[in-house]
Amino acid sequence: MVAGTILVDKINEISAYPTVGKLTQIKSLKKAVGGCVPNDAIDIKVLCPDIDVYASGKVGLDGDGDFLKESLNKYGVDTTNLISDKNEATSFTDVMSITGGERTFFTYAGACAKFGYDDVDFEKLNVKMFHLGYFLLLDKIDNGDGLKILKKAKEMGIKTSIDFVSENSDRYCEIRPCLKYTDNLIINEIEAGAIAGIEPKKENIKLIAEKLKELGVNERVIIHMPDFAVCLSDSEYTIMPSLMLDKDFIKGSTGAGDAFCSGALVGIYKGYSDKEILEFASMSAAVSLREKDAVSGMTDEKTVREICSNFKRKVLNF
């Protein structure tokens, strides 16, 4: 089950950003799924169609909510655990994208900000793994419900994992109590350094991973960054360089972190070694870069491996 942030990205292409009081025309409009729930759930289902994947979250009783459900169902993700809130609109982000240039984001917290402990039907929950994200973007999850969900899942013998959004704040330390109910922490170096209270430089990554393990993470701390990823478990510390991709291979980076996370979760589900988990996670992230949106670039595990066999890995000098 993938639970938490679920929203619609509304991508508006414009020729220029208007000054105050002025108007500019929207040249094209595209809707895409966004957030942890659709990005991870769809990626996992595409990578391994034989895995039953469930989405858990809250949407509005509106067209955007229908769009999210239809998109998830199209990929075979079970949406029976998605709740429709008649009193709140589906969460969305309006992206104002200047053709060939910068983008500006306007987001509405909406229904998924109200997702919490009471929205998870634990009596009917029958899954092996429960992934919760994004912390720091969900009001109720950040204010205690995330801890309650993870604790309850652990009591039920379900393997737990979490991830975050990157923000410039001191709120990361508030999430530390959740780590002792987290089996696998899968985050980037900025988020990892913020939680650990250590500057996220390359030479500090092992120290950061060790600090996060000390704070309670049960099985693995997995940290990914552009040049490499690491995994710290009770048995070993593993470093995996990133793949060297051709420039014309990369169409966009939206959802690459979620694709890495999805690959790691598949590896954990299948019992891969730490080295194999990092290898497959980095390959999943690489393949996701083939398309501009978060999920269209993903393909099945066999094809992912075939595509990535054409690329060598970077040489690390530290």
Side-chain angles (χ1 to χ4, degrees):
M1 177 168 281
V2 183
T5 303
I6 178 169
L7 53 85
V8 173
D9 285 329
K10 302 178 182 180
I11 305 167
N12 306 277
E13 185 181 359
I14 57 178
S15 57
Y17 201 84
T19 57
V20 175
K22 302 297 182 180
L23 177 146
T24 192
Q25 285 192 338
I26 296 173
K27 298 167 64 177
S28 67
L29 172 63
K30 179 182 178 182
K31 289 173 68 172
V33 299
C36 174
V37 174
N39 291 357
D40 286 17
I42 290 172
D43 280 349
I44 292 169
K45 191 65 181 176
V46 172
L47 284 166
C48 294
D50 59 326
I51 297 178
D52 293 328
V53 182
Y54 301 85
S56 179
K58 184 170 282 190
V59 299
L61 195 62
D62 51 30
D64 285 344
D66 292 339
F67 171 76
L68 285 164
K69 290 180 181 179
E70 291 167 3
S71 299
L72 287 161
N73 288 332
K74 181 179 71 173
Y75 286 96
V77 176
D78 189 304
T79 59
T80 55
N81 294 281
L82 280 183
I83 296 172
S84 296
D85 186 342
K86 65 180 181 180
N87 297 315
E88 186 57 87
T90 299
S91 308
F92 68 89
T93 297
D94 268 333
V95 184
M96 300 300 170
S97 179
I98 299 174
T99 306
E102 298 177 345
R103 296 187 298 173
T104 306
F105 304 88
F106 301 85
T107 194
Y108 178 68
C112 78
K114 296 184 177 181
F115 175 75
Y117 179 84
D118 292 336
D119 297 313
V120 181
D121 190 350
F122 287 103
E123 291 186 5
K124 297 181 180 179
L125 192 62
N126 183 24
V127 297
K128 294 180 180 179
M129 295 172 61
F130 191 103
H131 182 69
L132 180 60
Y134 308 119
F135 278 87
L136 305 185
L137 201 58
L138 299 165
D139 293 347
K140 293 183 71 174
I141 295 299
D142 295 339
N143 291 306
D145 277 27
L147 177 64
K148 290 172 64 178
I149 288 172
L150 294 169
K151 184 177 180 181
K152 180 64 175 180
K154 285 290 294 175
E155 290 172 354
M156 296 174 64
I158 299 171
K159 194 182 297 293
T160 60
S161 54
I162 62 174
D163 64 6
F164 294 72
V165 292
S166 299
E167 71 170 28
N168 184 21
S169 77
D170 57 0
R171 294 200 298 150
Y172 286 92
C173 61
E174 299 172 9
I175 313 300
R176 284 184 173 187
C178 294
L179 297 183
K180 65 179 179 179
Y181 300 109
T182 300
D183 291 311
N184 293 283
L185 178 65
I186 308 170
I187 51 177
N188 67 33
E189 81 281 13
I190 304 300
E191 297 152 1
I195 301 168
I198 301 171
E199 186 178 357
K201 299 188 295 184
K202 291 181 179 180
E203 55 268 34
N204 288 345
I205 295 300
K206 184 177 182 181
L207 181 63
I208 290 171
E210 290 172 342
K211 176 64 175 180
L212 295 174
K213 198 78 169 66
E214 290 173 7
L215 287 170
V217 177
N218 294 290
E219 293 185 7
R220 298 174 191 84
V221 173
I222 298 175
I223 304 171
H224 57 89
M225 51 198 308
D227 289 337
F228 65 97
V230 304
C231 177
L232 176 66
S233 63
D234 289 334
S235 59
E236 58 186 334
Y237 178 71
T238 307
I239 302 176
M240 181 60 55
S242 301
L243 292 161
M244 294 188 294
L245 305 175
D246 299 334
K247 287 186 178 180
D248 58 0
F249 181 85
I250 302 173
K251 299 296 189 298
S253 59
T254 301
D258 289 323
F260 180 98
C261 181
S262 299
L265 291 172
V266 168
I268 293 166
Y269 182 90
K270 292 193 169 187
Y272 291 168
S273 68
D274 291 351
K275 177 175 179 291
E276 291 169 334
I277 290 169
L278 291 183
E279 283 178 336
F280 186 58
S282 64
M283 286 189 283
S284 300
V287 168
S288 77
L289 300 174
R290 298 185 301 161
E291 298 293 342
K292 292 182 179 180
D293 67 273
V295 298
S296 297
M298 192 56 72
T299 185
D300 63 277
E301 180 174 359
K302 181 181 178 182
T303 307
V304 166
R305 294 185 183 277
E306 290 173 352
I307 293 171
C308 292
S309 66
N310 298 312
F311 302 110
K312 295 181 179 179
R313 292 192 177 271
K314 296 179 179 180
V315 177
L316 301 178
N317 298 312
F318 67 94

